[in-house]
Amino acid sequence: MTSPAHPVSITRHGGIAVITIDYAPVNALSKAVREGLAFAASEVASDDSVTAAVIYGGPGRFIAGADLKEMSLPPDEPFLPDVVAAIDALEKPVVAAIDGAALGGGLEIALACDYRIAGPKAMVGLTETRLGIIPGAGGTQRLPRLTGMAAAITLIAEGKILKAVEAQKQGIVDRVIEGDLLAAAIAAAETMEKRRVRELPVPEGDEAEEEKAAAAAIARAKGVPAVTEVIPIIRTARNPAFSDGLATERAAFLQLRESAEAKSLRHLFLSEREVWKVPGLPSARPVAKVAVIGAGTMGAGIAVALADAGLTVTVLERDEAAASAGQERVKGLYGRQVKSGRISAETMAERLGRLSVVADWNVLSEQDLVIEAAFEDMAVKADIFKRLDDLCRPGSILASNTSYLDLDAIAAMTKRPEDVVGLHFFSPANVMKLLEVVRGEKTSAEALSTALSLAKKIGKVPVVAGNCDGFIGNRIYAVYRRHAEYVIEDGATPEQVDAALEAYGFAMGIFSVSDMSGLDIAYAMRKRRAASRDSGERYVTIADTLVEAGRLGRKTGAGWYAYDAAGKKSVDPVTTQTIEAARAAKDISPRAFTPEEIQRRLVAVMANEGAKVLAEGIALRASDIDLAFVNGYGFPRLKGGPMWAADQIGLTRVLEEVEAAHKAGGTGSEPAPLLTELARSGSTFAAWRR
């Protein structure tokens, strides 16, 4: 029995029909896979010689979930609930043989089976809330019957993924097999009896634990509507009528699928796949040993990120005292992870065993890749790269963690600029997902490929950027900050701007972020670019005045806000007076801003600068800019990033806002020609291609 038109085949092992899915790379539930499974269920049901069935995804696989590209298209039969129902309706026992990821709809397929056997590397989870939706094919109704209500709420609402052994403990997987998984599944199918999950009662549980799980999930959700929606739906699994729960689940799924939040999250998910697609890249050079220059906060974080990925890491400092301090800094980072329970003491010891902090620069001759993480000063970096050029072996990659400086000027300090690339980590480097991979004018395709390969190994989201002041992220962020300061000078207060941004979905407003990172960082950047600033650009001196008065933010107890000894923030009358003095000096009559006006203005100017970045070829795609801001700058995931958010507002309206911002900001705030073109043609950033 076979369905040649679909990536699902049926083979016989005596009376057992093995239904195998082969749809690279992860057996996503595309239309073709759904059709193939529906066909297979029909064949098994109608063939009297078949006594039982096994659903198998092949070695290292099962079904990793929906095909999200199809989710953005008009619905197309067969629908997943119908496929799940067809499997569930079979009068013959069905075994799911899970050797890889059974996620989302993939786990719903497995839950429609009577028995679940997994390999040791299998993973299971109903992860739909991560995409702003809920399970839509019975997951909310079947999972509680296996795990109990409290565990089901946690697993579904938080979108958790369990490894095979933990899934067995939770009752989702019946057995974990170290050997031949398919053979074990066939053997089980020969002897097992029919046992539909939907006919099982929900186990009795502790009501207090259930309430605790629900409260924790809502607290972690950070405003994701799907989480608050799904919890009462999971609880309907207690109702006697299974079909009623399915109907409630499906109605909520269909509604949430069309929500703005779900569309934003799907956009980001697909963008993370697209970000790796860089034209014309050859194979990467092998990287096993990496050196980091500098054991400060950033260097230590980078070293930990590398060691976590299994690389051998050497951190270089200027002398033994600095090396000793750096070693303690690295140990401190790991110690905090042990204290919080994220890793064990044994894991800490293993990772520290791969990492050394030394003052002997001769070790550079052994390294495959070197990352400079020194102070953000061109003279300092120029000196380091001259030394790297002399000490590093031919073929090693020389990377700079610079966040603003000219990568081409840094590369020019060497006789091998083709091996120089930017690797701009974000602090804390062992936690933040974003990695800007900066391609200089002479960076070779092989060096860029190696940088991306490293990013994948250490679990980062890499955004390839061209070389300009601030690259993608900091260039756009500088415009965002500048226009936030215009809004302040024109009449808003720092707390009003921050409140508007936090209401929009940012974890922190821009002035609170400035205080946390230190006002002196942006101050140094402004002073560096002062000579190149156009006389027509509006310049706000408020932040400079605060810095020059020693008000650097949290670390000095005062910046845009005042901070007490415990770090509690409050409105500072000194800041208020400084703002009022700046307005008076320019004869500005303050006006009121609504939160919506602030939000619209700041999103618009970010998108406008993003349009300039795209047109100049600094970013490959609008979605890359969105990934940079969501993963590196706290832009709310539920809004999808500044370029996506601008598309949802409508580019005609965004252009109008940018024109108003231009009047407020002068030179440098002009509408981008690309934005103007797209707005007038009725197009979007998402649809634009170079």
Side-chain angles (χ1 to χ4, degrees), residues 391-413:
L391 294 170
C392 293
R393 63 171 178 76
S396 60
I397 302 295
L398 312 183
S400 175
N401 181 54
T402 181
S403 56
Y404 280 104
L405 300 178
D406 184 347
L407 185 70
D408 292 332
I410 292 171
M413 298 299 113

Side-chain angles (χ1 to χ4, degrees), residues 16 219 327 371 563 570 605 657:
I16 309 302
Q327 186 75 44
I371 303 171
Y563 299 88
S570 62
V605 297
E657 191 66 45

Side-chain angles (χ1 to χ4, degrees), residues 333-519:
L333 289 175
Y334 276 125
R336 285 195 286 276
Q337 292 184 50
V338 171
K339 188 175 181 180
S340 68
R342 289 197 296 275
I343 63 171
S344 66
E346 292 75 18
T347 299
M348 171 179 169
E350 176 197 348
R351 293 176 182 178
L352 283 173
R354 291 195 289 268
L355 194 158
S356 59
V357 187
V358 302
D360 180 9
W361 283 52
N362 290 317
V363 298
L364 288 172
S365 63
E366 306 168 2
Q367 308 302 316
D368 302 312
L369 186 146
V370 180
I371 303 171
E372 166 272 312
F375 184 68
E376 191 75 345
D377 179 272
M378 182 57 83
V380 172
K381 293 184 187 293
D383 179 64
I384 288 172
F385 272 80
K386 287 175 184 175
R387 295 182 71 181
L388 295 182
D389 197 35
D390 291 336
L391 294 170
C392 293
R393 63 171 178 76
S396 60
I397 302 295
L398 312 183
S400 175
N401 181 54
T402 181
S403 56
Y404 280 104
L405 300 178
D406 184 347
L407 185 70
D408 292 332
I410 292 171
M413 298 299 113
T414 76
K415 294 184 283 295
R416 40 174 148 172
E418 68 279 1
D419 288 334
V420 177
V421 66
L423 287 176
H424 177 208
F425 289 80
F426 286 70
S427 186
N430 57 312
V431 175
M432 295 291 282
K433 297 291 287 183
L434 178 62
L435 178 62
E436 270 189 316
V437 179
V438 185
R439 174 167 44 189
E441 182 183 0
K442 296 183 178 178
T443 301
S444 70
E446 194 177 33
L448 186 64
S449 180
T450 305
L452 288 170
S453 176
L454 178 70
K456 179 171 284 190
K457 190 172 185 67
I458 64 177
K460 300 298 184 185
V461 175
V463 173
V464 174
N467 183 37
C468 68
D469 190 29
F471 315 125
I472 295 173
N474 281 339
R475 171 175 166 173
I476 296 172
Y477 192 85
V479 172
Y480 167 55
R481 181 178 57 241
R482 196 163 71 239
H483 280 268
E485 291 175 357
Y486 297 160
V487 170
I488 292 292
E489 197 171 55
D490 284 339
T493 64
E495 55 272 21
Q496 286 171 342
V497 172
D498 281 356
L501 291 169
E502 288 164 18
Y504 186 74
F506 283 88
M508 294 175 68
I510 190 167
F511 297 106
S512 295
V513 170
S514 294
D515 275 359
M516 184 174 67
S517 59
L519 273 66

Side-chain angles (χ1 to χ4, degrees), residues 311-323:
L311 294 160
T312 300
V313 186
T314 304
V315 186
L316 286 170
E317 264 295 358
R318 61 185 180 276
D319 54 39
E320 292 296 339

Side-chain angles (χ1 to χ4, degrees), residues 75 145 192 255 377 402 465 514 533:
R145 289 169 159 81
M192 67 173 292
Q255 183 178 14
D377 179 272
T402 181
S514 294
R533 188 181 303 123

Side-chain angles (χ1 to χ4, degrees), residues 148 233 297 305 344 381 442 520 583:
I233 294 171
T297 300
S344 66
K381 293 184 187 293
K442 296 183 178 178
D520 48 328
R583 290 174 186 156

Side-chain angles (χ1 to χ4, degrees), residues 37-124:
L37 287 171
F39 173 86
S42 174
E43 289 290 296
V44 168
S46 62
D47 190 336
D48 292 340
S49 68
V50 172
T51 58
V54 172
I55 299 179
Y56 180 51
R61 298 190 298 191
F62 188 66
I63 301 170
D67 186 329
L68 290 189
K69 289 184 178 179
E70 287 190 7
M71 195 175 285
S72 299
L73 300 173
D76 199 1
E77 295 181 332
F79 303 128
L80 181 61
D82 297 331
V83 177
V84 169
I87 295 168
D88 182 85
L90 290 172
E91 295 299 333
K92 302 162 186 180
V94 185
V95 177
I98 306 169
D99 204 30
L103 303 177
L107 181 54
E108 288 180 300
I109 293 284
L111 292 173
C113 299
D114 303 281
Y115 202 61
R116 284 153 296 283
I117 297 180
K121 294 184 179 179
M123 299 181 295
V124 306

